[in-house]
């Protein structure tokens, strides 16, 4: 094994979801630019980066947790909780700092939801065609 978790055919692809998060970040940032709300762009970019980083860490934690065959490693819960508290702290600091437009930041954070939603819709459409 090369250190990457093997994905079963038909199983949800976390890497594919990561690509959808990046795609949704591009759409959100492009939409903000087209709307001419350039003041929101830095906040949206930071929010999208945090959303992507959060999902990337979730994937890494899950891959490590389930790499032992049928058993889940015990440190999984601790890592997941620490990641969650880190996310809350980063979001708090970004909002509290006042450096970024909060609405833009929230739009950037929404890329996580939009990416996972796009992945689910893509999966549903591919299963329907089979």
């Amino acid at each position: 094994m090369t250190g990457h978790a093997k994905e079963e055919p038909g199983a949800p692809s976390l890497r594919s979801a990561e690509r959808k998060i990046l795609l949704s970040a591009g759409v959100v940032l492009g939409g903000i630019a087209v709307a001419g709300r350039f003041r929101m762009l830095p906040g949206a970019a930071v929010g999208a980066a945090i959303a992507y980083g959060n999902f990337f860490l979730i994937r890494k934690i899950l891959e490590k947790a389930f790499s032992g065959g049928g058993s889940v490693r015990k440190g999984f819960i601790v890592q997941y909780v620490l990641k969650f508290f880190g996310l809350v702290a980063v979001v708090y600091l970004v909002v509290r700092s006042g450096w970024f437009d909060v609405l833009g930041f929230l739009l950037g954070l929404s890329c996580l939801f939009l990416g996972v939603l796009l992945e689910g819709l893509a999966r549903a459409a591919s299963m329907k065609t089979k």
Side-chain angles (χ1 to χ4, degrees):
M1 195 143 134
T2 62
H4 298 292
K6 291 186 177 181
E7 294 178 359
E8 298 175 23
S13 169
L14 295 180
R15 290 184 193 275
S16 178
E18 280 182 8
R19 288 189 295 273
K20 300 284 190 316
I21 292 168
L22 291 174
L23 173 69
S24 65
V27 169
V28 166
L29 292 171
I32 290 171
V34 167
R37 306 291 300 262
F38 301 109
R39 192 174 64 91
M40 294 173 67
L41 279 174
V46 169
I50 290 171
Y52 176 79
N54 181 50
F55 193 82
F56 177 81
L57 289 174
I58 289 171
R59 182 177 60 80
K60 287 297 188 184
I61 290 169
L62 289 175
E63 283 178 355
K64 194 186 316 182
F66 292 101
S67 66
S71 63
V72 177
R73 298 195 178 174
K74 296 191 186 322
F76 162 72
I77 300 295
V78 173
Q79 288 178 334
Y80 205 81
V81 168
L82 288 175
K83 184 214 61 74
F84 175 76
F85 284 132
L87 173 66
V88 169
V90 167
V91 168
Y92 173 79
L93 290 173
V94 168
V95 170
R96 185 82 174 149
S97 73
W99 293 345
F100 303 105
D101 181 80
V102 176
L103 180 58
F105 179 68
L106 292 175
L107 284 171
L109 278 180
S110 72
C111 293
L112 175 63
F113 170 76
L114 293 173
V116 172
L117 179 65
L118 284 174
E119 179 65 20
L121 291 172
R123 286 281 167 174
S126 71
M127 294 188 106
K128 189 175 183 179
T129 60
K130 288 184 180 182

